[in-house]
Amino acid sequence: MKEKDLNIDCPYHQVVLYAEKEDGTFGPFQTGSYMTGVNISEHFRVTGNLSKSLIEQLKAGTISPVYYYMMIEGLNIDELAGRTGISKFKIKRHLTLKGFRKMKIGALKHYADVFNIPVANMFQIIYTIEDRNWDMGYQGEVDDSKTGSISQKKTNNPYVIETAVTRTTK
C-alpha cells in the first residue's frame, strides 16, 4: 500500500506500518489504527449513554451504588464475588437499594477496594469540571482568573448525593 492510503486520523492509538513512499521506496509510516479509528467513537458513544442511564437510575433510587460501579467497571456477579470475597447471594442483595441499606461497613470497604474508590464515593455522584486543565498530564497554561467551588444536592436516592465542581471568574 501507499502512504496516502494508510493515513487514518486517530490520535488515541498510533501504529507504524511499512508502506510505499512517493519516490517508490518502502519505509515506516506512523498513522492511526484503522480499527481504533473506526470503533472508538462508537465505544465512547455507547459507554457515555450507559453512564448517563446508570446515573439517572442511581439518582432515582432504582439501583444501588454497588450495581452502578459493577456496571461501570464491566463486571458480572461472579467476577465481583471473586474479587471481593463476598458470596454471590449477598452481592445480588447489595445490588438493590434495600440490600445496600442493610450492608455492613466491611462489605462496603471490600466493594470500594475492588472499584478503586474511597468508601465515601459510594454515597455520591461527582461531577467534575469539563476543562482540559483538569486532565491528567495537561501541559497547557492554567487559567488563574477562575476559582472553583463545590456544591451538593440531594437525589431521590436517600443514600446518594450529587457533588458538583464549578468554575467561576474571580
Side-chain angles (χ1 to χ4, degrees):
M1 289 200 117
K2 297 189 184 282
E3 276 185 347
K4 64 179 179 157
D5 299 326
L6 295 175
N7 195 16
I8 305 289
D9 183 28
C10 181
Y12 307 110
H13 188 239
Q14 293 285 298
V15 294
V16 175
L17 303 171
Y18 282 82
E20 183 179 351
K21 298 181 180 282
E22 288 184 22
D23 63 4
T25 63
F26 281 86
F29 177 71
Q30 183 173 340
T31 184
S33 163
Y34 175 78
M35 289 301 291
T36 304
V38 170
N39 295 319
I40 197 79
S41 296
E42 180 66 8
H43 170 75
F44 285 144
R45 186 187 68 74
V46 169
T47 56
N49 288 343
L50 174 64
S51 180
K52 286 177 189 173
S53 172
L54 290 170
I55 286 172
E56 290 306 313
Q57 292 175 62
L58 187 59
K59 286 170 31 179
T62 58
I63 62 171
S64 79
V66 174
Y67 183 84
Y68 170 80
Y69 282 107
M70 182 181 81
M71 296 302 293
I72 290 297
E73 293 294 324
L75 300 173
N76 61 36
I77 293 171
D78 291 333
E79 292 168 325
L80 192 54
R83 293 181 186 190
T84 60
I86 299 171
S87 73
K88 290 188 271 186
F89 175 76
K90 284 186 179 180
I91 288 175
K92 287 179 185 176
R93 284 196 324 203
H94 296 158
L95 299 180
T96 67
L97 212 50
K98 183 178 177 184
F100 181 79
R101 181 176 60 84
K102 294 180 180 180
M103 187 187 330
K104 295 185 183 200
I105 193 72
L108 192 60
K109 175 73 171 113
H110 286 300
Y111 286 123
D113 288 345
V114 167
F115 300 140
N116 197 28
I117 60 169
V119 171
N121 284 14
M122 297 290 277
F123 300 99
Q124 62 184 336
I125 300 164
I126 301 173
Y127 301 104
T128 58
I129 297 171
E130 292 187 18
D131 184 344
R132 291 279 305 147
N133 296 334
W134 288 73
D135 286 352
M136 187 170 27
Y138 179 68
Q139 300 295 317
E141 299 262 338
V142 175
D143 185 358
D144 290 333
S145 68
K146 295 183 179 180
T147 60
S149 65
I150 298 174
S151 63
Q152 293 184 316
K153 70 178 184 178
K154 290 182 178 183
T155 67
N156 290 333
N157 184 331
Y159 305 105
V160 177
I161 61 168
E162 289 181 284
T163 301
V165 179
T166 55
R167 299 276 304 235
T168 56
T169 304
K170 289 182 182 179

